[in-house]
Amino acid sequence: MSEASQPIPILVVSGEVEAGEAVKADLAVTTNGTHDIPFQERSLRVGMKLGTPEPREEWKQAMEQAAALALLVRHVDVLSLDRIREIYTLMFEELGKPFSVMILRNEGESDFKMSCPHCGQKIWVRDSDVNKRGRCPNCKKGFNLPSQIRHLRTNLQLSEDVPVMMVVKGNAASAKIALITLAKSLFGGTIEGGEAFVRDAVLNNTVRVDIQ
Protein backbone atom coordinates (compact mmCIF):
# COMPACT_ATOMS: atom_id res chain seq x y z
CA MET A 1 0.00 0.00 0.00
CA SER A 2 1.45 3.35 -1.04
CA GLU A 3 1.76 6.14 1.54
CA ALA A 4 -0.78 8.21 -0.41
CA SER A 5 -3.44 5.53 0.12
CA GLN A 6 -2.68 4.65 3.74
CA PRO A 7 -5.17 5.66 6.47
CA ILE A 8 -4.51 8.96 8.22
CA PRO A 9 -4.06 8.33 11.97
CA ILE A 10 -6.18 10.62 14.17
CA LEU A 11 -6.07 10.26 17.96
CA VAL A 12 -8.96 11.38 20.18
CA VAL A 13 -7.75 12.18 23.71
CA SER A 14 -9.83 12.97 26.79
CA GLY A 15 -9.41 13.15 30.54
CA GLU A 16 -13.13 12.41 30.90
CA VAL A 17 -13.48 8.66 30.51
CA GLU A 18 -17.29 8.61 30.43
CA ALA A 19 -17.37 11.14 27.60
CA GLY A 20 -14.70 9.23 25.72
CA GLU A 21 -16.53 5.92 26.09
CA ALA A 22 -19.70 7.55 24.73
CA VAL A 23 -17.94 8.74 21.58
CA LYS A 24 -16.13 5.40 21.33
CA ALA A 25 -19.50 3.64 21.30
CA ASP A 26 -20.95 6.09 18.77
CA LEU A 27 -18.05 5.49 16.39
CA ALA A 28 -18.19 1.73 16.97
CA VAL A 29 -14.48 1.56 17.70
CA THR A 30 -13.36 -2.04 17.09
CA THR A 31 -11.61 -4.41 19.46
CA ASN A 32 -8.25 -3.32 18.03
CA GLY A 33 -9.01 0.18 19.31
CA THR A 34 -9.54 1.97 15.99
CA HIS A 35 -12.33 3.02 13.65
CA ASP A 36 -11.96 3.98 9.98
CA ILE A 37 -13.90 6.94 8.54
CA PRO A 38 -13.96 7.42 4.73
CA PHE A 39 -12.11 10.58 3.77
CA GLN A 40 -11.50 11.65 0.15
CA GLU A 41 -9.51 8.83 -1.46
CA ARG A 42 -8.13 7.68 1.87
CA SER A 43 -9.62 7.09 5.31
CA LEU A 44 -9.16 8.38 8.83
CA ARG A 45 -8.01 5.75 11.31
CA VAL A 46 -9.37 6.99 14.62
CA GLY A 47 -7.84 5.79 17.89
CA MET A 48 -8.54 6.88 21.47
CA LYS A 49 -6.64 7.55 24.72
CA LEU A 50 -8.79 8.22 27.77
CA GLY A 51 -8.23 9.11 31.42
CA THR A 52 -5.17 10.46 33.20
CA PRO A 53 -2.19 10.76 30.81
CA GLU A 54 -0.11 8.15 32.61
CA PRO A 55 2.27 6.58 31.93
CA ARG A 56 3.25 9.82 30.24
CA GLU A 57 5.64 8.22 27.77
CA GLU A 58 2.91 5.85 26.56
CA TRP A 59 0.55 8.75 25.87
CA LYS A 60 3.33 10.74 24.26
CA GLN A 61 4.21 7.86 21.95
CA ALA A 62 0.58 7.41 20.90
CA MET A 63 0.30 11.13 20.18
CA GLU A 64 3.54 11.21 18.21
CA GLN A 65 2.23 8.47 15.90
CA ALA A 66 -0.91 10.47 15.05
CA ALA A 67 -1.12 12.96 12.20
CA ALA A 68 -3.46 15.11 14.30
CA LEU A 69 -5.19 15.09 17.68
CA ALA A 70 -8.75 15.78 18.82
CA LEU A 71 -9.24 16.89 22.42
CA LEU A 72 -12.64 15.72 23.69
CA VAL A 73 -14.26 17.83 26.43
CA ARG A 74 -17.52 17.45 28.36
CA HIS A 75 -17.46 20.00 31.21
CA VAL A 76 -15.46 23.20 31.81
CA ASP A 77 -15.57 23.49 35.59
CA VAL A 78 -12.30 24.01 37.50
CA LEU A 79 -11.55 20.32 38.12
CA SER A 80 -12.33 19.37 34.51
CA LEU A 81 -10.16 22.22 33.21
CA ASP A 82 -7.24 20.98 35.33
CA ARG A 83 -7.46 17.57 33.62
CA ILE A 84 -7.87 19.20 30.22
CA ARG A 85 -4.79 21.39 30.74
CA GLU A 86 -2.66 18.38 31.68
CA ILE A 87 -3.44 16.70 28.37
CA TYR A 88 -3.32 19.96 26.43
CA THR A 89 0.19 20.70 27.74
CA LEU A 90 1.39 17.32 26.50
CA MET A 91 -0.33 17.37 23.11
CA PHE A 92 0.34 20.96 22.14
CA GLU A 93 3.13 22.58 24.12
CA GLU A 94 5.39 19.51 24.04
CA LEU A 95 4.47 17.90 20.72
CA GLY A 96 3.05 20.79 18.69
CA LYS A 97 0.60 18.53 16.84
CA PRO A 98 -2.28 19.94 14.76
CA PHE A 99 -5.43 19.55 16.83
CA SER A 100 -9.08 20.44 17.28
CA VAL A 101 -11.46 20.42 20.23
CA MET A 102 -14.74 18.49 20.40
CA ILE A 103 -17.29 19.43 23.07
CA LEU A 104 -19.68 16.59 23.86
CA ARG A 105 -23.29 17.26 24.76
CA ASN A 106 -26.39 15.14 25.18
CA GLU A 107 -29.13 15.38 22.56
CA GLY A 108 -31.12 18.58 23.15
CA GLU A 109 -28.83 19.80 25.93
CA SER A 110 -28.74 23.58 26.12
CA ASP A 111 -26.60 24.26 29.18
CA PHE A 112 -23.12 23.49 30.42
CA LYS A 113 -21.15 23.10 33.63
CA MET A 114 -18.48 25.61 34.67
CA SER A 115 -17.22 27.01 37.99
CA CYS A 116 -17.83 30.33 39.68
CA PRO A 117 -14.69 32.43 39.01
CA HIS A 118 -14.81 33.72 42.60
CA CYS A 119 -15.40 30.67 44.83
CA GLY A 120 -15.15 27.64 42.51
CA GLN A 121 -18.75 26.48 43.01
CA LYS A 122 -19.85 24.28 40.12
CA ILE A 123 -22.75 25.89 38.29
CA TRP A 124 -24.95 25.20 35.28
CA VAL A 125 -25.19 27.97 32.69
CA ARG A 126 -27.89 28.02 30.01
CA ASP A 127 -26.83 28.88 26.48
CA SER A 128 -29.67 31.40 26.40
CA ASP A 129 -28.08 33.27 29.34
CA VAL A 130 -24.67 33.74 27.72
CA ASN A 131 -23.41 37.35 27.86
CA LYS A 132 -25.83 38.15 30.68
CA ARG A 133 -24.79 39.06 34.22
CA GLY A 134 -24.96 36.06 36.56
CA ARG A 135 -24.66 35.61 40.32
CA CYS A 136 -23.23 32.58 42.09
CA PRO A 137 -25.80 31.00 44.46
CA ASN A 138 -22.95 30.06 46.82
CA CYS A 139 -20.85 33.22 47.24
CA LYS A 140 -23.46 35.65 45.85
CA LYS A 141 -20.85 37.42 43.70
CA GLY A 142 -21.68 38.50 40.16
CA PHE A 143 -19.85 37.83 36.90
CA ASN A 144 -20.46 37.88 33.15
CA LEU A 145 -21.60 34.52 31.76
CA PRO A 146 -19.40 33.22 28.91
CA SER A 147 -20.31 30.69 26.27
CA GLN A 148 -18.84 27.23 26.79
CA ILE A 149 -16.62 27.60 23.72
CA ARG A 150 -15.41 31.06 24.74
CA HIS A 151 -14.71 29.91 28.31
CA LEU A 152 -12.66 27.00 26.97
CA ARG A 153 -10.76 29.15 24.47
CA THR A 154 -9.94 31.70 27.18
CA ASN A 155 -8.73 29.16 29.73
CA LEU A 156 -6.58 27.24 27.23
CA GLN A 157 -5.58 30.40 25.34
CA LEU A 158 -6.67 28.78 22.10
CA SER A 159 -6.18 30.77 18.93
CA GLU A 160 -9.26 31.37 16.81
CA ASP A 161 -7.95 29.10 14.05
CA VAL A 162 -8.23 26.01 16.28
CA PRO A 163 -11.51 24.28 15.35
CA VAL A 164 -13.91 23.86 18.29
CA MET A 165 -17.01 21.84 17.42
CA MET A 166 -20.00 20.48 19.28
CA VAL A 167 -20.64 16.74 19.01
CA VAL A 168 -23.83 15.06 20.19
CA LYS A 169 -23.89 11.89 22.25
CA GLY A 170 -25.63 9.16 20.27
CA ASN A 171 -25.08 10.99 16.97
CA ALA A 172 -22.13 9.37 15.25
CA ALA A 173 -22.38 11.76 12.30
CA SER A 174 -21.57 14.77 14.48
CA ALA A 175 -18.35 13.14 15.71
CA LYS A 176 -17.39 12.08 12.20
CA ILE A 177 -17.93 15.60 10.84
CA ALA A 178 -15.73 17.03 13.61
CA LEU A 179 -12.93 14.58 12.82
CA ILE A 180 -13.20 15.11 9.06
CA THR A 181 -13.06 18.86 9.67
CA LEU A 182 -9.80 18.32 11.57
CA ALA A 183 -8.42 16.25 8.68
CA LYS A 184 -9.47 18.96 6.22
CA SER A 185 -7.44 21.47 8.23
CA LEU A 186 -4.33 19.43 7.46
CA PHE A 187 -4.91 19.63 3.72
CA GLY A 188 -6.78 22.92 3.41
CA GLY A 189 -10.37 23.54 2.41
CA THR A 190 -13.56 23.08 4.39
CA ILE A 191 -16.21 20.41 4.73
CA GLU A 192 -19.74 21.07 3.56
CA GLY A 193 -22.21 20.99 6.42
CA GLY A 194 -19.35 20.97 8.90
CA GLU A 195 -20.40 23.97 10.96
CA ALA A 196 -20.63 23.49 14.68
CA PHE A 197 -23.64 21.51 16.03
CA VAL A 198 -24.68 23.87 17.64
CA ARG A 199 -12.12 22.64 44.02
CA ASP A 200 -13.36 21.45 47.08
CA ALA A 201 -15.51 18.43 47.77
CA VAL A 202 -18.04 20.80 49.29
CA LEU A 203 -18.48 22.29 45.81
CA ASN A 204 -19.08 18.97 44.04
CA ASN A 205 -22.83 19.56 43.68
CA THR A 206 -23.66 21.65 40.65
CA VAL A 207 -26.31 24.38 40.94
CA ARG A 208 -27.84 26.67 38.35
CA VAL A 209 -26.43 30.18 38.23
CA ASP A 210 -28.73 33.06 39.17
CA ILE A 211 -29.41 35.78 36.61
CA GLN A 212 -29.17 39.36 37.84
Side-chain angles (χ1 to χ4, degrees):
M1 181 183 294
S2 67
E3 183 177 352
S5 61
Q6 290 181 348
I8 301 168
I10 303 289
L11 186 67
V12 178
V13 294
S14 181
E16 299 176 85
V17 175
E18 185 176 348
E21 291 293 346
V23 172
K24 184 177 180 180
D26 289 343
L27 292 176
V29 172
T30 61
T31 53
N32 69 0
T34 62
H35 172 78
D36 285 1
I37 299 174
F39 174 68
Q40 297 180 352
E41 296 180 357
R42 303 172 68 176
S43 64
L44 306 181
R45 179 148 294 170
V46 182
M48 304 191 79
K49 292 290 287 185
L50 309 176
T52 303
E54 297 292 342
R56 193 175 183 84
E57 285 306 311
E58 179 182 307
W59 275 65
K60 191 171 183 178
Q61 183 178 25
M63 291 180 179
E64 286 176 335
Q65 293 173 349
L69 306 169
L71 175 61
L72 177 65
V73 173
R74 176 73 174 102
H75 302 298
V76 290
D77 59 277
V78 169
L79 296 178
S80 297
L81 284 171
D82 284 345
R83 292 192 295 267
I84 292 167
R85 286 192 193 95
E86 186 176 8
I87 295 175
Y88 175 73
T89 298
L90 178 60
M91 65 186 271
F92 180 66
E93 295 183 2
E94 292 189 20
L95 298 177
K97 289 283 185 177
F99 74 99
S100 66
V101 178
M102 303 192 304
I103 298 178
L104 180 68
R105 288 202 181 181
N106 294 321
E107 182 72 37
E109 194 170 48
S110 59
D111 54 8
F112 65 94
K113 186 193 295 185
M114 62 172 288
S115 294
C116 169
H118 301 291
C119 72
Q121 169 69 54
K122 292 181 182 179
I123 53 179
W124 286 105
V125 177
R126 287 181 286 255
D127 293 335
S128 58
D129 291 331
V130 166
N131 295 325
K132 294 180 181 178
R133 187 75 178 168
R135 185 182 65 179
C136 175
N138 183 59
C139 70
K140 309 304 181 184
K141 293 183 179 179
F143 58 98
N144 294 325
L145 300 176
S147 69
Q148 187 176 18
I149 290 176
R150 179 51 52 194
H151 189 60
L152 187 63
R153 283 193 184 279
T154 299
N155 277 274
L156 295 184
Q157 297 184 322
L158 295 179
S159 65
E160 293 297 328
D161 61 349
V162 174
V164 179
M165 300 187 69
M166 294 289 185
V167 298
V168 180
K169 182 178 179 180
N171 185 334
S174 66
K176 290 179 180 180
I177 286 175
L179 293 169
I180 291 172
T181 299
L182 172 58
K184 283 282 188 177
S185 72
L186 297 176
F187 301 98
T190 57
I191 176 174
E192 292 185 10
E195 296 82 3
F197 280 79
V198 139
R199 195 156 254 260
D200 287 339
V202 70
L203 302 177
N204 279 344
N205 290 328
T206 306
V207 295
R208 190 171 299 281
V209 67
D210 295 331
I211 300 300
Q212 295 181 322

